Amino acid sequence: MRIDIITVLPELLKSPFEASILKRAIEKGLVEVHMHNLRDYTDKSYNQIDDYQFGGGAGMVMMIEPIDKCIASLKAEREYDEVIYMTPDGETLNQKMANSISLLDNMIILCGHYKGVDQRVRETLITKEISIGDYVLSGGELGAAVLCDAIIRLIPGVLNNETSALTDTFQDNLLAPPVYTRPSEYKGLKVPDILLSGNFPEIEKWREDQALKRTEQRRPDLLK
C-alpha cells in the first residue's frame, strides 16, 4: 500500500509514523507513506496556498490551483484508488470503512485547513470525504494520522498476531469483552474462573456473552 498525504504542515505528521506499529509496517515494506508540502506547488508570493473567500466572511480558504497541481503530479506517476479529503462534514470513519480502505493499493489523503478547501476541489478532485468525529480540529493532519493508523494495522503482516485485529472492538458490531492477565488475583480482585478453566469452547461463549452485554450497556446503537 502507498499513502500520499498532502498537507501544509508535514512536520506535524512525522512522529506518528516514526514509532511502534506504523514504523514497523514501513520498515517491513508493507506500506509507504509520503508527505507532500502543498506550498511546494504554488507560484504565489510567500508560498501562499489560501485566500479570502468570495462573498466575504471570516476564515481563509485553500485555493484549488496548488491542490490540483499536487494531485496531478502524483497521478502522473501512478493510479490511485481513492483521493480522500479529511473534513468534519465527511462520512464518519468506522471499522467497516477502515476494513474496506485497508484493501486499497494507492491513495491520496488531502488535509484540510483554515475554513476548508475551494468547493471545486471537492467536486472535481476528491473521491471520498472522511471525518473522524463530530468536532473541529485545527487541520486535517491529526485526522489523517488516525485514518492511517486504523487501516495500516489491518494490512496482513503488520501485527505480530493478525487474529488480534479480527477480534478488536467494532469488527463484528460489538464492543470487545473484558480481558485479564497475570496475576490471577491482586488485592482480592480475582480473574473470572472460566478464563482459568482451560475449557476453550466455554471461554469463547463467555467472551461472546460479555461482548454482547457490554455493547448493550455502553453502545446499544450498534445493535440496531
Side-chain angles (χ1 to χ4, degrees):
M1 173 185 286
R2 177 184 170 112
I3 303 173
D4 289 277
I5 304 177
I6 303 173
T7 170
V8 297
L9 292 170
E11 62 275 13
L12 187 60
L13 274 167
K14 289 181 180 179
S15 61
F17 299 97
E18 294 177 345
S20 191
I21 291 172
L22 300 188
K23 179 183 179 181
R24 293 200 301 269
I26 293 171
E27 290 178 342
K28 287 181 179 180
L30 298 173
V31 62
E32 294 180 43
V33 181
H34 300 271
M35 314 295 176
H36 305 275
N37 192 332
L38 190 59
R39 298 189 188 279
D40 294 337
Y41 294 86
T42 180
D43 54 8
K44 304 291 185 182
S45 58
Y46 306 105
N47 295 324
Q48 180 185 358
I49 50 84
D50 62 304
D51 210 334
Y52 295 103
Q53 55 181 309
F54 285 124
M60 305 293 279
V61 178
M62 295 172 69
M63 297 183 291
I64 185 172
E65 184 176 5
I67 296 173
D68 182 41
K69 285 182 177 180
C70 184
I71 292 177
S73 174
L74 292 171
K75 285 187 172 181
E77 298 178 1
R78 67 192 60 81
E79 293 185 1
Y80 287 91
D81 303 300
E82 295 278 12
V83 180
I84 298 169
Y85 174 46
M86 302 304 300
T87 173
D89 59 350
E91 182 181 359
T92 303
L93 177 65
N94 58 29
Q95 192 61 46
K96 181 179 179 181
M97 187 191 302
N99 291 344
S100 176
I101 296 175
S102 73
L103 301 176
L104 303 181
D105 292 322
N106 301 313
M107 75 188 75
I108 295 171
I109 302 176
L110 171 62
C111 301
H113 245 280
Y114 314 114
K115 201 65 176 177
V117 300
D118 187 302
Q119 180 63 26
R120 290 167 292 185
V121 172
R122 303 176 73 164
E123 292 174 352
T124 63
L125 301 175
I126 302 301
T127 63
K128 191 174 188 65
E129 300 185 349
I130 297 178
S131 166
I132 62 167
D134 294 340
Y135 46 87
V136 177
L137 299 173
S138 299
E141 284 76 17
L142 297 180
V146 168
L147 173 62
C148 289
D149 191 299
I151 61 178
I152 289 173
R153 66 190 306 279
L154 297 172
I155 298 173
V158 170
L159 297 182
N160 293 330
N161 184 347
E162 294 178 16
T163 304
S164 177
L166 299 177
T167 57
D168 282 341
T169 289
F170 301 125
Q171 281 290 11
D172 51 5
N173 274 351
L174 294 176
L175 302 183
V179 292
Y180 300 85
T181 189
R182 295 180 178 85
S184 59
E185 182 175 350
Y186 180 73
K187 293 184 177 180
L189 303 172
K190 296 183 178 181
V191 172
D193 291 338
I194 183 64
L195 297 178
L196 307 176
S197 69
N199 188 333
F200 294 108
E202 287 300 314
I203 290 173
E204 189 61 29
K205 182 178 183 302
W206 178 87
R207 285 174 171 162
E208 291 174 358
D209 291 343
Q210 290 296 311
L212 179 59
K213 181 179 179 181
R214 177 174 283 187
T215 305
E216 288 174 339
Q217 292 175 340
R218 301 186 180 187
R219 290 293 305 275
D221 57 296
L222 294 174
L223 301 175
K224 294 180 181 178

